[in-house]
C-alpha cells in the first residue's frame, strides 16, 4: 500500500478559547489527566476575530484551517483567553466534511474533538474538529523497521539504526532525544491502516487520498514520503 504525507497547514493555529477550556485541553500522550474530556465529549468553544486590518481573511470553506496564528482577540479580549498551544502542536483543525471522510477509513487511535468556532465580528458559528493523532508503537513491527538518527543541529549527521523490540528502541533512543531526531527509514506496520502518524508527519493511504480528492477538496495537499512503509497484513 502506498502512503503520502498530508500537509497539516500552520502547526500553531492560534484560535482562542476560554480559560476553562484551556485547562480542560491539557492533552498529554496518555490522556490520563483528561479522560473525562474524551469519554464525555462536549464541543470546544473557540473564537476568532475577523476585524483585524492587514491580515488575510480566514476562509471557513477550507477543509483545513491555516494561518489562524495571525488573528488577535480584539473586542473579545475580556471574555476570552489566549490559549497555551502546547496541546495543539500535533493537532489539525479540519472541516466537518473532511472529518466524515476520515471516519469512513481504517485509523489507528486518533482522537477527534468537536470544535464550535465563533466568528466574533460576523456573529456566525462554524463546526470543525480537532484531529489529534497519537503515536502508538504497538502498530509498528519494530524488529522489521529501521530509523534515521538525524542530528538536530547538523542535518548531515545521519545514521540508520535498528532495534530488536520496543524496549530497546526507547532505551537506546531516549538518551539522544535532545540532540537527534529519530525518523522512519523503513516502517513496518501490522495492519493496513489508512492513516499513520510518525511523530513528525501525517501520512494517508492512497485510497484515503483518492477519497479526499474525489470529494473535491483541492485545498488538501499531498507529498511523497521520504521513507518506505511495509504493511504486514495487507488486504
Amino acid at each position: 500500500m502506498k502512503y503520502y504525507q498530508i500537509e497539516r497547514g500552520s502547526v500553531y493555529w492560534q484560535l482562542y478559547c476560554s480559560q476553562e477550556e484551556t485547562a480542560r485541553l491539557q492533552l498529554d500522550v496518555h490522556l490520563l489527566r483528561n479522560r473525562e474530556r474524551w469519554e464525555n465529549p462536549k464541543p470546544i468553544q473557540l473564537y476568532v476575530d475577523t476585524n483585524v486590518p492587514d491580515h488575510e481573511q480566514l476562509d471557513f470553506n477550507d477543509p483545513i484551517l491555516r494561518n489562524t496564528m495571525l488573528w488577535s482577540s480584539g473586542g473579545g479580549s475580556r471574555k476570552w483567553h489566549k490559549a497555551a498551544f502546547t496541546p495543539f502542536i500535533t493537532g489539525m483543525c479540519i472541516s466537518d466534511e473532511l472529518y466524515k471522510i476520515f471516519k469512513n477509513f481504517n485509523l489507528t487511535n486518533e482522537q477527534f474533538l468537536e470544535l464550535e468556532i465563533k466568528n466574533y465580528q460576523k456573529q456566525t458559528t462554524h463546526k470543525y474538529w480537532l484531529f489529534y493523532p497519537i503515536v502508538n508503537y504497538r502498530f509498528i513491527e519494530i524488529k522489521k523497521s529501521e530509523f534515521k538518527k538525524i542530528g538536530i543541529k547538523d542535518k548531515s549527521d545521519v545514521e540508520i539504526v535498528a532495534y530488536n523490540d520496543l524496549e530497546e528502541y526507547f532505551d537506546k533512543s531516549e538518551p539522544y532525544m535532545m540532540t537527534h531526531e529519530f525518523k522512519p527509514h523503513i516502517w513496518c506496520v501490522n495492519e493496513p491502516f489508512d492513516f499513520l502518524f510518525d511523530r513528525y508527519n501525517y501520512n494517508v493511504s492512497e485510497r484515503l487520498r483518492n477519497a479526499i480528492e474525489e470529494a473535491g477538496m483541492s485545498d488538501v495537499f499531498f507529498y511523497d514520503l521520504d521513507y518506505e512503509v511495509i504493511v504486514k497484513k495487507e488486504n
Side-chain angles (χ1 to χ4, degrees):
M1 182 186 299
K2 187 171 183 179
Y3 287 85
Y4 298 87
Q5 178 184 339
I6 185 173
E7 186 215 17
R8 58 178 176 174
S10 174
V11 175
Y12 299 99
W13 56 273
Q14 295 191 4
L15 298 170
Y16 299 83
C17 64
S18 68
Q19 293 183 3
E20 178 183 1
E21 291 289 4
T22 301
R24 297 176 69 185
L25 279 170
Q26 296 304 309
L27 307 177
D28 55 40
V29 174
H30 302 290
L31 305 175
L32 295 178
R33 292 177 297 172
N34 233 348
R35 191 163 300 281
E36 175 68 18
R37 159 60 80 183
W38 298 106
E39 294 179 352
N40 299 286
K42 298 178 181 178
I44 304 171
Q45 292 187 344
L46 297 179
Y47 157 86
V48 293
D49 178 5
T50 60
N51 189 23
V52 183
D54 302 322
H55 282 175
E56 180 182 355
Q57 290 296 307
L58 185 60
D59 188 354
F60 283 101
N61 293 319
D62 290 344
I64 301 175
L65 288 187
R66 299 182 177 87
N67 300 323
T68 51
M69 65 185 298
L70 301 177
W71 297 85
S72 65
S73 57
S77 58
R78 287 179 295 179
K79 296 182 179 180
W80 298 88
H81 174 71
K82 191 171 184 180
F85 292 98
T86 301
F88 300 147
I89 285 178
T90 57
M92 181 168 64
C93 191
I94 66 175
S95 69
D96 192 47
E97 291 76 15
L98 184 54
Y99 162 78
K100 291 174 181 176
I101 293 177
F102 270 99
K103 293 296 287 185
N104 285 327
F105 284 83
N106 186 21
L107 309 181
T108 53
N109 59 343
E110 284 65 46
Q111 305 285 342
F112 294 91
L113 289 178
E114 185 178 345
L115 305 178
E116 185 179 273
I117 304 178
K118 292 184 178 296
N119 185 318
Y120 179 77
Q121 296 295 330
K122 296 183 178 180
Q123 295 297 305
T124 55
T125 301
H126 306 269
K127 182 177 180 180
Y128 276 77
W129 295 83
L130 171 60
F131 179 30
Y132 191 81
I134 301 170
V135 177
N136 193 324
Y137 288 98
R138 68 185 178 89
F139 299 121
I140 305 169
E141 299 285 330
I142 294 292
K143 193 171 184 178
K144 298 179 181 179
S145 300
E146 295 179 354
F147 298 83
K148 287 183 285 188
K149 180 182 175 183
I150 307 172
I152 294 177
K153 293 185 178 180
D154 181 7
K155 297 299 183 182
S156 65
D157 176 16
V158 180
E159 179 184 358
I160 305 301
V161 293
Y163 307 97
N164 289 315
D165 51 41
L166 191 58
E167 182 178 3
E168 183 183 3
Y169 168 77
F170 285 118
D171 286 345
K172 291 188 176 181
S173 62
E174 188 170 351
Y176 296 94
M177 285 300 181
M178 299 300 293
T179 59
H180 291 77
E181 297 175 325
F182 287 81
K183 295 187 175 182
H185 178 62
I186 298 175
W187 230 23
C188 181
V189 294
N190 54 26
E191 290 185 35
F193 295 108
D194 291 295
F195 178 89
L196 298 170
F197 179 55
D198 61 15
R199 292 183 61 197
Y200 302 95
N201 301 308
Y202 289 3
N203 304 318
V204 299
S205 66
E206 188 168 18
R207 59 192 177 196
L208 178 50
R209 170 184 173 166
N210 292 340
I212 293 173
E213 291 182 335
E214 288 170 5
M217 295 185 178
S218 58
D219 196 43
V220 181
F221 304 102
F222 303 92
Y223 305 91
D224 289 332
L225 292 185
D226 61 357
Y227 62 90
E228 181 183 2
V229 177
I230 301 173
V231 180
K232 182 179 179 181
K233 299 178 182 177
E234 191 160 6
N235 293 332

